[in-house]
Amino acid sequence: MTTDAPRLIRSTRLLDGVEDRIRAEFNAPPPPEQALDTAALLELAHAYQPFAVLVTHTAPLKGADVDALPQSVRLVATVSVGLDHLDVPALLARNIAVSNTPDVLTDCNADLAIMLILAASRRAAEYYTLMKAGWGHALGMGEMLGHRVTGKRLGIVGMGRIGQAVAKRARGFDMSILYHNRRQLDPAEEAGATYFDTLEDMLPHCDILSLHMPGSPTAPPLINARTLGLLPRGSVLVNAARGSLIDEDALIAALRSGQLFAAGLDVFRNEPNPNPALLALPNLFMTPHVGSATLETRTAMGMLALDNVRALAAGKPLPSGVSA
């Protein structure tokens, strides 16, 4: 690669196709053998003086970390759609552009949400545990029964790209779609879904509730003992968005009491070490924050991050820039 190619560093090794493109189109050091934390990323940035920094959640840039970036940095490109690991206003105030990777992970995140809905409703975790133990006895007619998904009322909180993709898939199960959002969608986007102006008004009508909105570690949990109590008894809760959206103590109590029949979680308040009380619940189906974890999607995310680097270096608009 020529010396005038954009200089970049990344906090973690990306997929092979993305690394091949980095070698072909950019000036970059070899990928790290292990994901870098913030201190190691900043040390590399000062040594290499990059034009762009590619990050994931393992190397958050907030507060003093933003101030510590070298003057050479013109773009922080996160290989994620979420931005909670970045201090976007501080970066923009330093005239450092920010980009993320929306859209390309919509389908896989929606697929995972549907998997969580099915797995929680049909007791997949309990069935798997039984089979791993050797099964051993025929199940009676009334033993270990799940809940049918077809025809149920699905409440979606956050009807953005992923929420709409979940609704599209749920219609294949003849589910009725309810949603709460900051604004009502136009009729074409709604596609027959029913809008509720407040979450509290929607919850009593939901057999299944699925969360698809941003979260903040400093904001009060959206789902707490009060809101869980508004759901019909025996409903199902799914969260493939952010762990901060749920009061986990209230969730544990609701799963133990039967207020919730089951839950499916891909995200947790304390990752990667979730509350042991959650892990012990038989009616909780869990995955380790893997909504975008497919070969196709993780490759597309890395490529979009590189597209943003190329665009800024050429003086063109960012394909997926982030504003304040």
Side-chain angles (χ1 to χ4, degrees), residues 147-182:
H147 283 186
R148 183 175 67 180
V149 169
T150 298
K152 288 297 194 293
R153 301 169 297 176
L154 172 64
I156 296 176
V157 183
M159 199 67 148
R161 300 177 185 91
I162 297 173
Q164 290 179 48
V166 170
K168 178 180 178 181
R169 286 154 174 76
R171 291 185 185 98
F173 291 92
D174 294 326
M175 299 178 78
S176 300
I177 309 302
L178 322 174
Y179 76 100
H180 169 62
N181 202 44
R182 286 178 296 179

Side-chain angles (χ1 to χ4, degrees), residues 31-54:
E33 294 184 5
Q34 295 182 330
L36 304 180
D37 61 14
T38 302
L41 182 71
L42 290 173
E43 182 179 356
L44 179 60
H46 280 275
Y48 201 75
Q49 295 292 307
F51 173 81
V53 177
L54 273 62

Side-chain angles (χ1 to χ4, degrees), residues 136-251:
H137 72 280
L139 297 178
M141 284 290 291
E143 191 175 358
M144 294 191 75
L145 302 183
H147 283 186
R148 183 175 67 180
V149 169
T150 298
K152 288 297 194 293
R153 301 169 297 176
L154 172 64
I156 296 176
V157 183
M159 199 67 148
R161 300 177 185 91
I162 297 173
Q164 290 179 48
V166 170
K168 178 180 178 181
R169 286 154 174 76
R171 291 185 185 98
F173 291 92
D174 294 326
M175 299 178 78
S176 300
I177 309 302
L178 322 174
Y179 76 100
H180 169 62
N181 202 44
R182 286 178 296 179
R183 65 172 182 87
Q184 184 171 3
L185 304 180
D186 63 45
E189 291 175 312
E190 279 190 332
T194 300
Y195 173 69
F196 286 82
D197 185 55
T198 69
L199 177 66
E200 290 77 8
D201 286 342
M202 182 180 77
L203 291 177
H205 305 282
C206 299
D207 301 307
I208 302 167
L209 183 69
S210 191
L211 308 181
H212 301 284
M213 60 178 289
S216 169
T218 60
L222 180 75
I223 303 301
N224 52 35
R226 183 182 65 85
T227 49
L228 286 168
L230 294 175
L231 287 165
R233 184 171 179 81
S235 54
V236 170
L237 173 65
V238 163
N239 186 13
R242 284 292 181 267
S244 59
L245 294 173
I246 296 179
D247 178 336
E248 291 182 347
D249 289 337
L251 172 64

Side-chain angles (χ1 to χ4, degrees), residues 108-128:
C108 280
N109 273 274
D111 290 349
L112 185 86
I114 293 296
M115 182 183 84
L116 294 174
I117 289 170
L118 290 168
S121 299
R122 293 300 303 270
R123 302 178 73 158
E126 294 169 90
Y127 294 160
Y128 182 75

